[in-house]
Amino acid sequence: MKVTEHIAQSKGETRFSFEILPPLKGQHIDSIFNNIDPLMEFNPPFIDVTYHREEYTYKELENGLLEKKVVKKRPGTVGICAAIQNKYNVDAIPHILCGGFTKEDTENFLIDLDFLEIDNVVALRGDAVKSEMYFKSEKNGHNYASDLVGQIGNLNKGKYLDEDLQNSSATNFCIGVAGYPEKHMEAPSMESDIHFLKKKIKNGADYIVTQMFFDNQKYFDFVKKCRKEGITVPIIPGLKPISTKKQLNLIPYRFKVDLPDDLVMAVVKAKDNKAVRQVGIEWCIAQSKELIKAKVPFVHYYSMGKSDNIQTIASEVF
Ligand code: FAD
């Protein structure tokens, strides 16, 4: 079932959903199930599964030269989605990227999803590969998520890349896209970021999921700005509980989001990471309660593969 249908069915009641990462290559799929199992009591209608593109690694050879290798550390997004739908009977939502995909790869990926009866995708550009400064698309790939949304939209109309295909069947994907309450790190201004967000909606996106934020006012202001610009689709807030001291530096650096002073000082004063985890849980509970009061359609949690803190938060608020 589509995310938009789940929202319509919920009749204004806020529901619980979460995102997982595929396990590192070599780990068993049980490592994923062990983290999903405790969250199923909160009846998530869908679970998102991230997509991880290739990375370059360099290995020093005996002669001192470096050997460059291309590796995918977390493969398996589609397989995990199929396994989740099969095991839990909930919708699994794969993320799909521009990065690393030609248009042909994208089409074939979407055909696989359609055959697996996966009804939803989150369409993203992806970041630059770790060793590069800027995002580079494949030679025959997409530069921006809006173009990827356009291709999915075309497939939903039965328009494949090969225009000579006869009697081609249309897919029926519900398309989610990313939104940034504190603007995307590369965007020169919030206005331009919302301008291009609008393009993703115009090209066929059905809903927005936000980047994590730690101050709800940023989300409320973002929603207001989007509505003013004529964006009417649901905007699902994404939350991540802080769980380690290191994240105080990592999160603002990696995601370009602000951490409120009160949260920072509570983490600074925490005596160890167990205490930090508790601070993160309490902060996230307070954020969730306020968002639910504001009647958001879902509160979507970034689990990053560990579910115990999300379980504690969900049991307080759902
Ligand atoms: P876009 O919407 O393409 O925007 C990228 C930048 O380009 C923005 O600054 C935008 O303002 C600008 N822009 C857009 N269109 C144009 C245009 N036509 N001309 C000029 N500028 C333009 N990454 C992963 O690798 N895997 C995942 O599974 C994943 N899941 C995510 C889930 C969520 C909810 C979020 C918020 C992010 C996720 N990401 C993931 C990270 C995401 O890939 C990065 O944030 C990436 O840098 C931008 O992706 P986007 O889809 O927002 O890009």
Side-chain angles (χ1 to χ4, degrees):
M1 197 163 126
K2 294 180 172 191
V3 167
T4 44
E5 290 166 345
H6 285 299
I7 292 174
Q9 242 185 31
S10 300
K11 297 196 173 96
E13 193 193 323
T14 304
R15 300 199 57 192
F16 166 79
S17 65
F18 62 98
E19 174 183 298
I20 59 159
L21 276 63
L24 285 166
K25 191 183 273 187
Q27 284 184 15
H28 198 271
I29 194 161
D30 281 349
S31 61
I32 291 292
F33 293 153
N34 292 342
N35 277 298
I36 295 179
D37 286 346
L39 300 180
M40 293 315 290
E41 65 171 293
F42 306 107
N43 296 319
F46 64 84
I47 301 171
D48 272 51
V49 183
T50 54
Y51 190 93
H52 298 258
R53 64 174 304 182
E54 72 286 358
E55 293 175 31
Y56 301 136
T57 59
Y58 294 88
K59 189 177 155 195
E60 192 168 349
L61 303 174
E62 277 179 13
N63 60 10
L65 292 175
L66 292 177
E67 183 185 41
K68 181 177 171 181
K69 272 195 172 171
V70 183
V71 286
K72 252 191 193 171
K73 292 188 177 166
R74 293 183 185 272
T77 300
V78 176
I80 290 168
C81 285
I84 287 175
Q85 294 207 155
N86 190 34
K87 184 172 161 73
Y88 299 103
N89 199 22
V90 297
D91 285 299
I93 308 186
H95 292 187
I96 174 170
L97 305 181
C98 303
F101 281 73
T102 64
K103 290 177 191 164
E104 188 77 23
D105 294 335
T106 300
E107 187 169 277
N108 293 336
F109 188 91
L110 293 166
I111 289 170
D112 277 346
L113 301 184
D114 188 42
F115 288 167
L116 286 166
E117 297 183 2
I118 288 172
D119 298 329
N120 304 276
V121 286
V122 173
L124 302 140
R125 187 196 69 180
D127 289 317
V129 282
K130 279 200 179 120
S131 50
E132 290 173 0
M133 186 77 177
Y134 300 105
F135 173 83
K136 259 197 264 151
S137 62
E138 294 301 300
K139 207 161 159 227
N140 185 25
H142 296 297
N143 287 317
Y144 295 107
S146 52
D147 303 325
L148 173 58
V149 171
Q151 185 179 1
I152 305 168
N154 278 342
L155 217 61
N156 278 349
K157 292 182 202 127
K159 271 166 74 179
Y160 287 67
L161 294 173
D162 178 355
E163 289 171 2
D164 296 333
L165 274 187
Q166 299 285 318
N167 302 320
S168 49
S169 73
T171 56
N172 190 19
F173 291 111
C174 174
I175 309 168
V177 289
Y180 301 83
E182 296 175 63
K183 93 171 180 62
H184 182 255
M185 62 185 93
E186 294 165 28
S189 70
M190 184 57 121
E191 282 64 33
S192 85
D193 209 23
I194 291 184
H195 170 82
F196 291 120
L197 176 58
K198 210 170 159 182
K199 193 168 173 197
K200 295 195 263 196
I201 310 303
K202 188 169 157 256
N203 286 2
D206 298 290
Y207 70 100
I208 296 165
V209 193
T210 75
Q211 179 60 281
M212 66 182 79
F213 55 88
F214 297 87
D215 173 356
N216 285 352
Q217 197 53 47
K218 309 248 182 191
Y219 168 82
F220 295 133
D221 291 346
F222 174 68
V223 173
K224 213 164 149 188
K225 280 184 191 139
C226 288
R227 301 300 182 227
K228 201 169 154 230
E229 286 304 313
I231 295 174
T232 56
V233 299
I235 303 177
I236 297 175
L239 296 184
K240 178 188 153 38
I242 293 258
S243 54
T244 64
K245 279 205 179 188
K246 236 165 104 181
Q247 288 171 344
L248 279 192
N249 304 102
L250 204 70
I251 289 176
Y253 171 75
R254 172 80 185 77
F255 300 104
K256 301 286 181 291
V257 299
D258 283 340
L259 297 175
D261 289 342
D262 289 354
L263 174 61
V264 172
M265 286 320 292
V267 173
V268 167
K269 287 180 188 160
K271 72 176 192 308
D272 54 22
N273 273 341
K274 194 169 166 229
V276 173
R277 226 173 158 72
Q278 192 52 36
V279 169
I281 287 170
E282 282 165 20
W283 191 271
C284 196
I285 288 174
Q287 275 195 281
S288 305
K289 285 187 173 167
E290 193 183 23
L291 290 166
I292 292 170
K293 217 168 146 198
K295 297 198 177 312
V296 297
F298 278 88
V299 183
H300 187 68
Y301 295 92
Y302 297 114
S303 83
M304 316 302 268
K306 293 256 165 53
S307 62
D308 59 315
N309 49 357
I310 308 288
Q311 187 186 11
T312 310
I313 293 159
S315 59
E316 276 290 321
V317 294
F318 288 98

